[in-house]
Amino acid sequence: MPRVSQDQLDARRHEILAAARGCFARYGYEGATVRRLEDATGLSRGAIFHHFRDKDSLFLAVAEDDAAAMVETVTRNGLVQVMRDLLDRAGASAGDGDTAGWLGTQLEVSRRLRTDPAFAKRWAERSNAIATATRERLQRQRDAGVLRDDVPVEVLTQFLELAYDGMVLHLATGRPPGELSRVLDLVEEAVRRA
Amino acid sequence: MPRVSQDQLDARRHEILAAARGCFARYGYEGATVRRLEDATGLSRGAIFHHFRDKDSLFLAVAEDDAAAMVETVTRNGLVQVMRDLLDRAGASAGDGDTAGWLGTQLEVSRRLRTDPAFAKRWAERSNAIATATRERLQRQRDAGVLRDDVPVEVLTQFLELAYDGMVLHLATGRPPGELSRVLDLVEEAVRRA
């Protein structure tokens, strides 16, 4: 039996996540059957479920992978920049499987939060991580004096999250970007010191 | 055979829509089986599909009913007020089946827009009606001098729609209202003349 290095395992895991993301986005959680996951990954179910216990674990891993990447970007560049990047990618190519997959996963998470209490419970922790990263970055901006100071940081945090949720729903349902870039200018202006 | 008046037909149709709305919201489009629709309405499939050709037509009727009510409210009170009403109802009672149903339908529409091109095409017309009502009301406010005049009405329209979409996603996924009421103050302030 050939030895498989940790790097190879990680690479394989990453490949499965990328392919599964597209599959969940395209077909939804229920529609992404094991057969379709096999087609998307080019692997057998045995190989897939060697890395992820079951379909639910695979879906959670995709969603958590996305959330972790987002926390990183929020901390570095802020939630408005996350929205701008998202918009750029959505506008640049409707056929960008990665962005479409990412958006689809976001919406699929939303659907499962509504219909699946067990999933909602597992998800709450990750969801808080994004809010926390946003809040902490706004607090740093408040301390630096570039944020408006007549509204609590918590309200500004939830204002940005509202805009983010709106953008996810807008883009994930395939609506054209329209004037969203200028809309984001308004969003940014609304939290800044006048 | 007893004669059935148009009023009775309308009332029955309305009853079916209300029950079906809750059923679609709770189980999603696929999960709302004909059996569950029978349970929810207390009617046989024969009686239900006497009023609506098939499940797809019933779902579209629910969604169009919601959209028509929304166009009316937007024209009268504006999209921010629609959001405030929504928030009040969501906060007042987590067990409010009507609001939960309405939110669920919104999200289910979003999911089908993404996964069902035929549905997306049928839906586009209604969706435009809401945007049009919002745009026209903002234009009247611009003419009345209460709207900021350094940003095109179209951008302000899409800014309000972004906030609305964000609120739908937030509430429909069962997240607590948090500071959304104060967030809506920010949204309103951002479109007003300073």
Side-chain angles (χ1 to χ4, degrees):
Chain A
M1 209 173 179
R3 302 268 295 278
V4 180
S5 73
Q6 187 60 42
D7 277 0
Q8 284 173 306
L9 281 175
D10 287 349
R12 173 54 58 89
R13 190 184 144 92
H14 184 77
E15 277 170 33
I16 297 173
L17 283 179
R21 175 178 291 113
C23 197
F24 285 127
R26 181 164 176 198
Y27 299 111
Y29 180 77
E30 275 84 17
T33 56
V34 172
R35 167 61 64 90
R36 280 175 169 159
L37 287 166
E38 287 181 319
D39 287 347
T41 57
L43 297 170
S44 70
R45 60 195 66 201
I48 295 172
F49 296 124
H50 174 72
H51 292 266
F52 301 93
R53 200 179 60 211
D54 50 25
K55 195 172 98 169
D56 206 46
S57 300
L58 177 56
F59 179 76
L60 263 167
V62 167
E64 287 176 355
D65 201 45
D66 289 344
M70 195 172 142
V71 164
E72 220 173 280
T73 313
V74 166
T75 299
R76 210 167 44 234
N77 302 317
L79 195 53
V80 173
Q81 191 56 45
V82 169
M83 292 190 257
R84 291 201 190 278
D85 291 347
L86 195 53
L87 191 58
D88 283 349
R89 277 181 287 147
S93 59
D96 175 350
D98 253 26
T99 302
W102 185 84
L103 286 165
T105 304
Q106 296 274 307
L107 212 56
E108 193 62 22
V109 165
S110 301
R111 195 181 73 81
R112 297 200 65 203
L113 286 174
R114 182 168 56 90
T115 56
D116 182 344
F119 177 81
K121 208 175 159 197
R122 290 180 74 179
W123 185 248
E125 196 185 322
R126 288 293 166 165
S127 167
N128 287 341
I130 295 167
T132 300
T134 303
R135 191 178 303 112
E136 287 174 353
R137 191 166 195 279
L138 285 174
Q139 186 60 56
R140 288 195 299 276
Q141 293 186 311
R142 164 77 52 97
D143 295 343
V146 295
L147 213 66
R148 65 189 292 170
D149 55 12
D150 58 337
V151 176
V153 165
E154 183 57 33
V155 175
L156 298 178
T157 302
Q158 294 187 27
F159 171 76
L160 291 186
E161 288 185 309
L162 187 78
Y164 172 75
D165 284 337
M167 177 155 286
V168 166
L169 191 54
H170 182 113
L171 295 177
T173 49
R175 281 177 268 166
E179 297 286 350
L180 281 181
S181 175
R182 292 172 80 179
V183 167
L184 287 180
D185 294 341
L186 273 187
V187 169
E188 199 154 30
E189 183 200 291
V191 302
R192 279 209 181 131
R193 180 185 285 277
Chain B
M1 209 172 178
R3 302 265 296 277
V4 179
S5 73
Q6 187 60 43
D7 277 2
Q8 285 172 307
L9 281 175
D10 287 351
R12 173 54 58 87
R13 191 184 143 93
H14 185 77
E15 277 170 34
I16 296 173
L17 283 179
R21 173 179 292 113
C23 197
F24 284 128
R26 180 163 176 199
Y27 300 110
Y29 181 79
E30 274 85 16
T33 58
V34 172
R35 167 61 63 90
R36 279 173 170 161
L37 288 166
E38 288 181 319
D39 288 347
T41 57
L43 297 170
S44 70
R45 59 194 68 200
I48 296 171
F49 296 125
H50 174 70
H51 292 266
F52 301 92
R53 199 179 61 212
D54 50 25
K55 194 172 100 170
D56 207 45
S57 300
L58 177 57
F59 178 77
L60 263 167
V62 167
E64 287 177 355
D65 201 45
D66 288 345
M70 194 173 143
V71 164
E72 221 172 280
T73 312
V74 166
T75 300
R76 211 168 42 235
N77 302 317
L79 194 53
V80 173
Q81 191 57 45
V82 169
M83 291 189 258
R84 291 200 191 276
D85 291 347
L86 195 54
L87 191 57
D88 283 348
R89 278 181 287 146
S93 60
D96 174 351
D98 253 26
T99 302
W102 185 85
L103 286 164
T105 305
Q106 297 274 306
L107 212 57
E108 192 62 22
V109 164
S110 301
R111 195 181 73 81
R112 296 200 63 204
L113 287 173
R114 181 167 57 91
T115 56
D116 181 345
F119 176 81
K121 209 175 158 197
R122 291 179 73 180
W123 184 249
E125 196 185 322
R126 290 290 167 167
S127 166
N128 287 340
I130 295 167
T132 301
T134 304
R135 192 178 302 112
E136 286 174 353
R137 190 167 196 280
L138 285 174
Q139 187 59 55
R140 288 195 298 276
Q141 294 185 310
R142 163 77 52 96
D143 295 344
V146 294
L147 212 68
R148 65 189 291 169
D149 55 12
D150 58 338
V151 176
V153 165
E154 183 57 32
V155 176
L156 298 178
T157 302
Q158 293 188 27
F159 171 76
L160 292 186
E161 288 185 309
L162 187 77
Y164 172 76
D165 284 338
M167 178 155 286
V168 166
L169 190 54
H170 182 114
L171 295 177
T173 49
R175 281 177 267 165
E179 297 286 350
L180 281 182
S181 175
R182 294 171 81 177
V183 167
L184 287 181
D185 294 342
L186 273 187
V187 169
E188 201 155 28
E189 182 201 289
V191 301
R192 280 211 181 130
R193 180 185 285 277

